[in-house]
Amino acid sequence: MLKTTRRMAILSGLAFALAACSNKFKTYNGPEVTRLQMFKGQRTLLLFNNATVLKTYKFDLGFAPVGHKQFEGDGKTPEGSYTIDKRNPNSIFHLSIGISYPNEADIAYAASQGREPGGEIFIHGGPRKGIDPIKPDWTAGCISVSDREIEEIYSMVRDGTPIDIFA
């Protein structure tokens, strides 16, 4: 009897652990996301299929939210036209998708000032343990949404999708 109860507890725990792990990877079978538009001032991210808005999200930005990112460590979020260029399922921020900052113009400007442009700009979920967000605008230049929202975005947006980031 004790072995059966113990075995059931172990199997239940394993099933729960597997279910918890699988939850962050959603599937999406709707219309293709053809473009993202982000409005920093309004803290609004829009996902489009051609001219139709599919989803709208609110977000937090870098600790210095005004202005275009120019240098490594400036805490700003880029402005301009980029693409979604990578994804990180093991991000310290739940899930994340990368933005192709810096582009050639960003690199050239930073070099002309004798500085590095920085990089590793992502749309990501909330922080993991050990990172204390100071809301709003707590990231180092990334775009932060809730964990549930990044799960949706991660499933909907493909690498190569254009993103326009406006002031």
Side-chain angles (χ1 to χ4, degrees):
M1 179 76 165
L2 185 61
K3 283 185 177 182
T4 303
T5 304
R6 184 173 176 211
R7 194 173 294 153
M8 291 291 285
I10 291 170
L11 289 174
S12 295
L14 182 60
F16 179 77
L18 289 172
C21 289
S22 66
N23 283 343
K24 75 178 184 178
F25 297 106
K26 308 291 184 205
T27 53
Y28 175 71
N29 297 317
E32 175 187 9
V33 175
T34 56
R35 177 169 298 281
L36 289 80
Q37 288 187 340
M38 192 178 107
F39 297 88
K40 290 170 53 175
Q42 292 79 28
R43 303 300 193 273
T44 304
L45 173 65
L46 305 170
L47 277 58
F48 285 88
N49 171 266
N50 299 316
T52 304
V53 175
L54 299 173
K55 294 290 282 191
T56 303
Y57 301 94
K58 291 296 189 180
F59 56 81
D60 290 315
L61 289 171
F63 59 82
V66 177
H68 173 58
K69 180 166 194 61
Q70 297 177 316
F71 308 115
E72 184 172 16
D74 66 9
K76 295 182 180 183
T77 302
E79 296 170 1
S81 294
Y82 299 92
T83 58
I84 300 302
D85 66 348
K86 60 188 161 269
R87 51 196 57 242
N88 185 354
N90 301 311
S91 171
I92 62 170
F93 297 103
H94 192 60
L95 292 171
S96 61
I97 58 174
I99 296 174
S100 64
Y101 176 87
N103 61 27
E104 288 182 20
D106 298 320
I107 294 167
Y109 178 77
S112 76
Q113 302 299 305
R115 310 263 314 262
E116 293 294 324
E120 298 298 314
I121 302 296
F122 287 86
I123 301 172
H124 60 68
R128 293 286 156 243
K129 292 181 181 179
I131 299 171
D132 187 20
I134 302 167
K135 297 244 179 187
D137 301 330
W138 59 274
T139 77
C142 293
I143 298 95
S144 176
V145 295
S146 73
D147 287 356
R148 182 189 58 77
E149 291 168 333
I150 193 58
E151 289 171 3
E152 285 182 350
I153 295 166
Y154 194 92
S155 72
M156 295 174 74
V157 176
R158 300 285 145 242
D159 290 358
T161 304
I163 180 170
D164 298 311
I165 304 172
F166 303 100

